[in-house]
Amino acid sequence: MKPFSYAAPSSYPEASALLREHPLALPKAGGTDLMDLLKEGVVSPPQIVALGRIERLEGNPNALFANMTLAALSDPGLAERFPALAEAASEAATPQVRNQGTVGGNLAQAPRCAYLRTRHACLRLGDSECAAAAPEAFTRFHGVFPAGGCRSGHSSSLAPALIVLGAQVVIQGPKGERSVAVEDLYRAPEAGALGDTILGYDELITRVDLEPTPLARQSTYLEVRERQSFDFALVNLAAAATFTGEGEERVVQEVRLAAGGIATSPRRLKRAEAALRGKPLTEETLRAAGEAACAGAQPTAHNGHKLILLQRLIARALRHLAAGGKQK
């Protein structure tokens, strides 16, 4: 690990100014991922700008501050208004990581591609090719919707949940604050750029704003991973839906779906939503939605199972919501 200087500003504008002054500097929130990137030699910043001293302004029960820990999202009030969010936070990593990792860090984390992390050929690191795209590459944990020549699978647990909840992320930059939908926070991979977000090098996530709507209260989060103890999801899915009718006559009224682990950024499943909206919740409808969600996928020899998992998670989530959250 190379030497670096350490700054601890007391406000986001001050932190943004420091990042602007030192373009190669990196911010540190909980630091659970940054330490790995430093030790693995993926990044070597001349300065780290620590955000831990920045005070949270309380008062808005529907705002998530960027330096809140994932463990803090287990608040019963949040869980009642935004079930998908609380469920996503509870599934992230381990209790130790949830007590340290933050909302902002979870949303803006670097890709978990094993080839990037072990410093093999990577377009994101400025190389001319992608090791994961080689015929002999092991891609069990990679995405099935590649973009920009990259095959990584996005690992954030919070992002799919916040997308279906219609959340807005507030960003601090040198010119002040701006707000964008969480769905629009992400972009396609770019050569030489490690991250997946639209954040400039001198911009920081400060908070996430939520609105407690009937659709938000009818939401859920599911994931499948190889090890229950500690692993990133092979596929995760957030869903929110409202229905009309009762029992076998239930019809999907409104629905939002978003998945992680299958593409380079969280993927809104709009084709699947269209296949569900206004339709009775039958096996045929669920099968059509699953097929629509997988349209255009480009799986490798090692990760076609992700498409099966995605289809099953969609069906499981919709049945759960139709049953009033009584079964999973």
Side-chain angles (χ1 to χ4, degrees), residues 2-5 15-28 34 37-38 42-49 192-194 200-203:
K2 296 181 180 179
F4 53 82
S5 62
S16 176
L18 284 169
L19 292 171
R20 188 169 184 79
E21 183 180 348
H22 303 280
L24 297 179
L26 290 176
K28 172 191 171 294
L34 179 60
L37 293 171
L38 289 168
V42 177
V43 298
S44 298
Q47 183 179 62
I48 287 178
V49 178
L194 179 61
Y201 71 91
D202 52 3
E203 291 187 315

Side-chain angles (χ1 to χ4, degrees), residues 38-280:
L38 289 168
K39 290 186 290 184
E40 292 157 355
V42 177
V43 298
S44 298
Q47 183 179 62
I48 287 178
V49 178
L51 309 176
R53 285 183 55 202
I54 297 177
E55 184 179 359
R56 296 202 300 265
L57 299 176
E58 307 293 346
N60 184 349
N62 299 317
L64 311 179
F65 297 95
N67 55 0
M68 286 177 69
T69 66
L70 300 183
L73 302 184
S74 61
D75 174 78
L78 281 174
E80 181 180 355
R81 297 190 300 278
F82 313 108
L85 173 65
E87 293 167 6
S90 70
E91 291 288 344
T94 63
Q96 294 89 338
V97 172
R98 292 194 291 273
N99 284 330
Q100 183 71 18
T102 63
V103 170
N106 188 272
L107 290 175
Q109 63 183 283
R112 296 286 171 175
C113 172
Y115 292 102
L116 181 155
R117 297 284 175 150
T118 53
R119 201 51 186 89
H120 283 70
C122 177
L123 299 173
R124 292 176 183 267
L125 298 179
D127 298 322
S128 60
E129 57 186 21
C130 169
E136 68 277 9
F138 182 69
T139 53
R140 178 172 177 80
F141 301 97
H142 287 70
V144 291
F145 291 94
C150 178
R151 282 197 164 270
S152 63
H154 195 81
S155 299
S156 172
S157 55
L158 297 188
L162 291 172
I163 287 172
V164 303
L165 294 172
Q168 297 278 321
V169 63
V170 179
I171 299 169
Q172 173 72 55
K175 297 181 180 180
E177 288 187 339
R178 62 189 177 109
S179 181
V180 300
V182 173
E183 185 175 353
D184 298 325
L185 177 64
Y186 300 94
R187 55 161 177 76
E190 296 177 358
L194 179 61
D196 294 316
T197 71
I198 61 172
L199 294 174
Y201 71 91
D202 52 3
E203 291 187 315
L204 296 159
I205 296 172
T206 63
R207 72 175 191 273
V208 178
D209 291 333
L210 294 152
E211 185 178 352
T213 63
L215 184 63
R217 285 190 288 271
Q218 273 283 104
S219 63
T220 192
Y221 171 90
L222 299 169
E223 69 174 43
V224 176
R225 55 192 185 196
E226 288 203 331
R227 295 175 298 170
Q228 188 63 28
S229 58
F230 175 48
D231 216 346
F232 292 96
L234 289 168
V235 180
N236 59 22
L237 177 84
T242 57
F243 305 86
T244 58
E246 297 291 338
E248 296 182 357
E249 302 299 321
R250 278 196 176 274
V251 173
V252 181
Q253 183 179 25
E254 185 51 72
V255 60
R256 289 174 65 97
L257 301 168
I262 61 171
T264 57
S265 59
R267 187 175 177 87
R268 176 85 181 272
L269 305 177
K270 293 185 178 181
R271 290 182 178 179
E273 292 172 3
L276 288 163
R277 197 172 288 116
K279 305 289 178 60

